Amino acid sequence: MSQFSRRRFLAGSGLSLALPAWLAGARAHDDEDEFYRRPTRTFFPCSGEAGPYDDAVLVDGEPPLPQAGGFTIAVLPDTQHYSQSYPETFAAQTRWVVENREVRNIACVLQLGDITNNNTPDEWQNAVTAMNLLDGELPYFMVPGNHDYSQGGGCSDRSTLMNDYFPVAKFRELPTFGGTYDQEPERMENSFHLFSAEGHDFVVIGLEFGPRRDVVRWTNEVVEQHADRQAILITHAYMYYDETRYDWTTRGEDQRWNPHAYGVAGATNDDVTDGEELWNELVSRHDNFLMTLNGHVLEDGLGRMTSPTQNGTQVHQLLVNFQMKPAGGDGWLRLIEFRPDGESLAIHDYSPTLGQRNESEQNRFELVLG
C-alpha cells in the first residue's frame, strides 16, 4: 500500500481529549464494529474503495522450503472470526503446520491474541479443537486479545474464559513451559516459554492485552533471568499500522484501538501499557530481545519497524493481522524462517486454504539480525 493510503486515516491535527475508561472502552469496541460495516469490508466491487487484495501479489503454491540448517516459527494472528464462524479454517491452519513440521523444521507456533471474537464457550471450544491438533506435535504459545475479555468480548474488564479452556495445568508439565505471572500463577494471560532450535535458545514472553504495570515488572525479571536466551515478545497490541508503536501519551485517539481506550485501563487509565511504554519500560532495556509480534490493528493490518535498544541491539517489531480478509482471514498465516547463517530472517505469508502465498513487499521480506 502506498505511504499515503497507509496513513490516510491519520490525518488531522491535535489529540482528542481522554475519555473515562468505561466510555473509552465502549467507543473503542464500537469503532472496531464500525470498521467491519464499511463497504471495503463487505467487498462491494463498485464502492470505489480498496478491496482486500488490491495490494497483494498472490502466487500459487507454498513458500520455498527453508535452507538446510534453518528453522521456522509459525504465527497465527487474530483467529477470532475463525473461532466464531469458520472453525474449519482455524483447524486447516494448525493441521498444515503439523503436516509441514518436519520439512520446514517448524520449532513452535505463536498465536497473537483475539483467540475468540466474543469470549463465549462455543468459540473457545472451536479454538481448543484447532489448537489441540498441535498437542504432542509442536509447542504453541498464546496471548489474550481485547475480544477475549468480558461479556461479548467487550473488554470492559480483565475477566476471560481463557483459563477455562487453556488452563495452566495443560502446559505446566511440558518441557517448554517456563512459568506464569508471579501474582497469578494459575492464569495463562501472562506466561513465558523456553524452546531451542538449531543450536539457538529462546525465551518467548506472552503478555496480556495492555499489560499492567506490575506485569511489566515481572517480565523484566524474567528477561533478566534468561539473558542467555534470545527473547521474543508476543502481545496483542504493540505496533500500529503506520510503522509506529502505539503511543497514547503522544498520539492519543489519533491511533485507534490503543489499549488505553478500553475498560481494562481502569478508572484512572493508568494500569495499562501500550507499545511505546512497553518499549521504554521493557524491550529497550534488554539486549537479548530479538523481536516483538502483535496483531489487533485493522486497516491493512501490517507494519514493521526496527529500533535499537539502549545499548544498540536492533529489535525487529512486527504487526501482522489478516482478520480483514474474506471469510475471517482466508486462512493466512505468517512463517518466519531463521536462516542457517544466524544473521537473517525470511518472512513469508501463506494461506493453506487458498494454496497461495503473498509476495507483496508487506508480506514477503527479509530482516537482518543484530
Side-chain angles (χ1 to χ4, degrees):
M1 185 174 287
S2 69
Q3 194 79 317
F4 172 78
S5 60
R6 282 178 65 78
R7 300 171 187 270
R8 66 189 182 278
F9 295 102
L10 297 177
S13 60
L15 298 177
S16 302
L17 294 176
L19 297 171
W22 66 269
L23 180 56
R27 282 274 301 275
H29 190 267
D30 291 345
D31 195 20
E32 284 187 72
D33 291 341
E34 178 60 29
F35 182 89
Y36 288 101
R37 289 193 285 268
R38 294 183 190 173
T40 189
R41 301 307 149 197
T42 48
F43 317 118
F44 298 156
C46 298
S47 68
E49 296 192 46
Y53 289 110
D54 279 9
D55 295 324
V57 180
L58 300 179
V59 179
D60 290 339
E62 298 179 352
L65 294 177
Q67 300 174 11
F71 64 95
T72 303
I73 291 177
V75 181
L76 298 174
D78 296 61
T79 54
Q80 61 198 81
H81 297 302
Y82 304 144
S83 293
Q84 181 182 22
S85 303
Y86 304 95
E88 67 284 353
T89 300
F90 199 166
Q93 289 181 308
T94 53
R95 185 178 300 110
W96 182 89
V97 170
V98 170
E99 291 171 350
N100 284 268
R101 176 193 59 183
E102 293 187 5
V103 70
R104 294 185 177 276
N105 199 10
I106 299 175
C108 68
V109 179
L110 308 179
Q111 199 282 341
L112 303 184
D114 277 1
I115 304 164
T116 68
N117 197 38
N118 298 294
N119 191 33
T120 63
D122 287 349
E123 293 179 15
W124 280 106
Q125 187 55 57
N126 285 337
V128 167
T129 299
M131 297 302 288
N132 275 359
L133 295 177
L134 300 171
D135 287 346
E137 303 286 350
L138 281 162
Y140 56 92
F141 318 130
M142 311 171 70
V143 294
N146 53 294
H147 280 272
D148 298 317
Y149 290 109
S150 311
Q151 184 176 2
C155 201
S156 58
D157 56 29
R158 293 194 180 272
S159 61
T160 177
L161 295 178
M162 180 180 184
N163 297 288
D164 295 336
Y165 291 87
F166 293 96
V168 174
K170 178 180 175 68
F171 301 94
R172 181 175 282 126
E173 302 306 318
L174 298 177
T176 53
F177 183 73
T180 54
Y181 172 42
D182 57 11
Q183 300 303 303
E184 296 172 349
E186 296 303 319
R187 301 184 68 87
M188 281 298 295
E189 293 99 308
N190 300 285
S191 61
F192 73 95
H193 309 265
L194 310 172
F195 77 96
S196 299
E198 297 296 336
H200 300 276
D201 298 324
F202 297 88
V203 54
V204 174
I205 302 101
L207 298 185
E208 63 193 5
F209 177 70
R212 290 163 286 174
R213 303 287 173 179
D214 193 61
V215 168
V216 176
R217 182 271 310 164
W218 167 80
T219 309
N220 274 298
E221 294 177 1
V222 169
V223 178
E224 290 173 2
Q225 291 165 3
H226 296 89
D228 58 336
R229 290 176 172 264
Q230 293 177 295
I232 298 172
L233 172 66
I234 58 174
T235 190
H236 189 56
Y238 179 95
M239 271 200 69
Y240 199 52
Y241 78 95
D242 63 352
E243 279 71 50
T244 66
R245 290 181 286 267
Y246 266 120
D247 186 353
W248 183 260
T249 300
T250 302
R251 301 280 295 276
E253 291 184 2
D254 182 46
Q255 292 176 316
R256 290 177 296 169
W257 317 300
N258 187 301
H260 283 275
Y262 292 79
V264 293
T268 62
N269 194 25
D270 182 57
D271 199 14
V272 68
T273 49
D274 61 20
E276 191 66 19
E277 290 164 313
L278 287 172
W279 172 258
N280 290 326
E281 299 172 22
L282 172 65
V283 181
S284 69
R285 298 183 179 185
H286 305 274
D287 289 327
N288 56 325
F289 265 110
L290 180 72
M291 70 174 64
T292 71
L293 290 151
N294 71 280
H296 180 56
V297 183
L298 304 182
E299 301 306 342
D300 70 351
L302 299 168
R304 64 183 186 268
M305 67 185 299
T306 302
S307 308
T309 65
Q310 295 174 2
N311 291 325
T313 301
Q314 299 295 321
V315 182
H316 300 299
Q317 299 142 87
L318 306 178
L319 156 68
V320 55
N321 181 15
F322 301 118
Q323 65 174 286
M324 301 77 68
K325 304 295 187 189
D330 269 347
W332 290 96
L333 50 80
R334 172 157 287 186
L335 303 174
I336 302 176
E337 175 192 343
F338 286 70
R339 294 267 177 77
D341 60 14
E343 298 178 354
S344 60
L345 306 174
I347 282 70
H348 303 271
D349 290 341
Y350 174 70
S351 167
T353 58
L354 298 180
Q356 294 180 315
R357 61 187 187 273
N358 190 343
E359 297 196 345
S360 80
E361 64 179 13
Q362 289 288 335
N363 301 91
R364 167 67 184 95
F365 54 92
E366 299 190 5
L367 298 170
V368 176
L369 301 175

